[in-house]
């Protein structure tokens, strides 16, 4: 029998629904495939990127290692080359110094270095042995902090009397005593040796001993140490200033000795140095009198007092008795005022607040002291130096 109209309609709807379901399943399968492909690609890219990053790190580390090795090799080559060049230069300078008759200077330098090294080695050895002896005595002697050992340490104090030094109620003793003469030192031994540099400290009232130094004593020693250091630095500074002064003085004396009178007509500074050289070194007072007249005339025309000229002429007038003492005192007072103005101007220009040196110190060191060292005309040299120190 033929299908009815309703059945045909149902069949047609079923076919449409099947087509829709197939289309939906197809699209979903494509979407799943696409998502799976994306995830696989992402995972693959992550693995590839990680592998690439690891490879880059390995290559970077290897490159850095190669660079360090190469840089180390280059630095070593540079160091060896620099050392070789320095060695060649030192050898050339040493040969030149030796051939320039500086053997005695080089020998003295080498002897001073050997002496310094030997003294340092002996001092370090002595300090090391002293520390060892102190540690050994501290380990072998009874503990002074315990009450049962008081009698032993009282006996040590009696044997070591008199104390090496004393501060307040505390005293510093040396084990086996502190002998004064070498005979006593050689007769008294401790453990078969002559060295007695192990000290201990005791309270003179309670007789309690200790290896440690009292606090007040430590502060006093530190203060003395720093005071000594400051004094050492100050003396070194004074010596350096004195050496620079003597070097300038020697240079000034050599230049004044080599100058000629024709040149002094052109330069007033050289004329002043040459005048003082004629006065102090050669003692040609007649010639010095004319030269002093020229520099005094130049100073008067300039209108400003000069301490060097005034001091020099005051000394010349006192030595030759050509000026009254009132006039000499006037010259000295004017020179001091000019010297004070020079110091203030120097402090203002160079910002030197510690400069107290006179402008005539270089002249004193170069002409007067050098003349005193000479064996010719000793009386005149000392006369000029005495007048210089007096004025």
């Amino acid at each position: 029998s033929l299908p009815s109209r309703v059945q045909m309609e149902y069949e047609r709807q079923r076919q449409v629904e099947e087509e829709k379901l197939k289309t939906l399943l197809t699209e979903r399968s494509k979407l799943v495939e696409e998502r799976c492909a994306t995830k696989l690609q992402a995972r693959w890219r992550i693995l590839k990127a990680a592998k690439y990053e690891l490879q880059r790190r390995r290559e970077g580390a290897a490159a850095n290692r190669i660079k360090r090795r190469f840089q180390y090799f280059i630095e070593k080559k540079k160091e060896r080359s620099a050392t070789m060049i320095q060695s060649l230069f030192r050898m050339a300078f040493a040969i030149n110094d030796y051939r320039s008759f500086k053997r005695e200077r080089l020998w003295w330098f080498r002897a001073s270095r050997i002496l310094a090294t030997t003294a340092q080695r002996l001092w370090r050895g002595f300090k090391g042995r002293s520390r060892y002896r102190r540690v050994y005595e501290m380990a072998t002697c009874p503990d002074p902090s315990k009450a049962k050992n008081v009698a032993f340490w009282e006996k040590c104090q009696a044997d070591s009397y008199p104390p090496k030094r004393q501060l307040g109620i505390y005293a510093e003793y040396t084990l086996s005593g502190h002998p004064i003469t070498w005979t006593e030192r050689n007769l008294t031994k401790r453990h078969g040796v002559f060295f007695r540099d192990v000290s201990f400290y005791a309270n003179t009232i309670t007789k309690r001993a200790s290896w440690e130094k009292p606090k007040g004593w430590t502060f006093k020693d530190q203060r003395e140490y720093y005071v000594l250091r400051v004094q050492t630095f100050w003396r070194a500074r004074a010596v350096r200033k004195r050496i620079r002064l003597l070097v300038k003085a020697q240079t000034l004396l050599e230049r004044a000795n080599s100058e000629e009178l024709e040149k002094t007509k052109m330069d007033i500074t050289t004329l002043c140095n040459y005048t003082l050289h004629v006065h102090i070194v050669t003692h040609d007072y007649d010639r010095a009198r004319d030269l002093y007249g020229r520099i005094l005339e130049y100073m008067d025309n300039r209108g400003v007092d000069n301490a060097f000229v005034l001091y020099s002429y005051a000394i010349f007038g006192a030595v030759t008795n050509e000026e009254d003492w009132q006039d000499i005192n006037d010259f000295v007072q004017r020179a001091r005022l000019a010297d004070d103005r020079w110091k203030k101007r120097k402090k203002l220009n160079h910002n030197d607040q510690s400069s107290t040196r006179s402008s005539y110190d270089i002249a004193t060191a170069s002409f007067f002291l050098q003349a005193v060292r000479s064996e010719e005309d000793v009386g005149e040299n000392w006369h000029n130096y005495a007048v210089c120190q007096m004025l």
Side-chain angles (χ1 to χ4, degrees), residues 153-348:
W153 287 103
E154 287 182 356
K155 184 177 181 303
C156 288
Q157 295 176 41
D159 295 339
S160 302
Y161 192 84
K164 186 176 180 181
R165 56 177 179 165
Q166 196 166 356
L167 179 65
I169 62 173
Y170 293 99
E172 180 183 4
Y173 293 93
T174 304
L175 288 176
S176 297
H178 187 68
I180 300 176
T181 63
W182 282 102
T183 304
E184 297 176 357
R185 183 179 180 87
N186 293 331
L187 291 177
T188 307
K189 294 184 180 181
R190 181 170 179 81
H191 302 301
V193 296
F194 297 114
F195 296 101
R196 284 168 298 278
D197 51 0
V198 180
S199 301
F200 67 96
Y201 305 89
N203 191 318
T204 57
I205 298 176
T206 61
K207 302 298 182 182
R208 295 299 298 269
S210 174
W211 291 111
E212 301 296 333
K213 188 181 295 185
K215 292 183 179 180
W217 215 321
T218 304
F219 174 75
K220 181 176 180 297
D221 289 347
Q222 290 178 353
R223 184 177 62 183
E224 291 179 354
Y225 169 75
Y226 287 118
V227 168
L228 182 61
R229 292 286 291 176
V230 171
Q231 291 175 352
T232 303
F233 289 145
W234 178 258
R235 293 192 186 100
R237 178 177 178 274
V239 169
R240 287 194 296 269
K241 292 178 65 176
R242 186 67 177 175
I243 290 175
R244 287 196 292 267
L245 177 64
L246 291 177
V247 170
K248 290 182 180 179
Q250 184 66 25
T251 305
L252 181 62
L253 181 62
E254 291 176 356
R255 290 178 179 177
N257 190 19
S258 61
E259 298 292 347
E260 295 182 358
L261 187 58
E262 288 76 9
K263 187 177 179 181
T264 61
K265 298 178 180 179
M266 307 297 294
D267 188 1
I268 186 61
T269 303
T270 308
L271 176 61
C272 294
N273 296 332
Y274 184 76
T275 302
L276 197 60
H277 174 75
V278 172
H279 168 203
I280 304 300
V281 179
T282 62
H283 303 135
D284 191 353
Y285 294 143
D286 294 333
R287 190 177 185 185
R289 187 179 298 105
D290 298 334
L291 295 174
Y292 275 123
R294 290 170 55 184
I295 60 178
L296 286 172
E297 182 182 1
Y298 180 86
M299 185 186 70
D300 293 336
N301 293 332
R302 189 165 177 254
V304 180
D305 288 343
N306 186 279
F308 182 89
V309 175
L310 293 172
Y311 275 131
S312 300
Y313 187 71
I315 295 170
F316 177 78
V319 170
T320 58
N321 294 322
E322 295 181 1
E323 296 288 344
D324 296 333
W325 278 105
Q326 185 64 35
D327 298 334
I328 293 173
N329 290 329
D330 292 339
F331 282 123
V332 172
Q333 292 298 328
R334 290 171 58 188
R336 288 174 182 171
L337 293 175
D339 202 7
D340 293 337
R341 289 194 296 269
W342 176 80
K343 291 178 183 179
K344 292 179 181 179
R345 186 167 60 252
K346 184 178 180 182
K347 289 181 181 180
L348 183 62

Side-chain angles (χ1 to χ4, degrees), residues 62-73:
N64 291 334
R65 192 177 299 110
I66 293 173
K67 288 179 182 178
R68 284 198 302 269
R69 292 287 183 180
F70 187 74
Q71 191 68 24
Y72 175 78
F73 174 75

Side-chain angles (χ1 to χ4, degrees), residues 22-40:
K22 287 181 181 180
T23 303
L24 181 62
L25 291 174
T26 303
E27 291 178 356
R28 183 170 293 179
S29 64
K30 288 182 180 180
L31 181 62
V32 170
E33 289 177 359
E34 185 177 350
R35 289 179 179 177
C36 291
T38 304
K39 288 183 179 180
L40 289 174

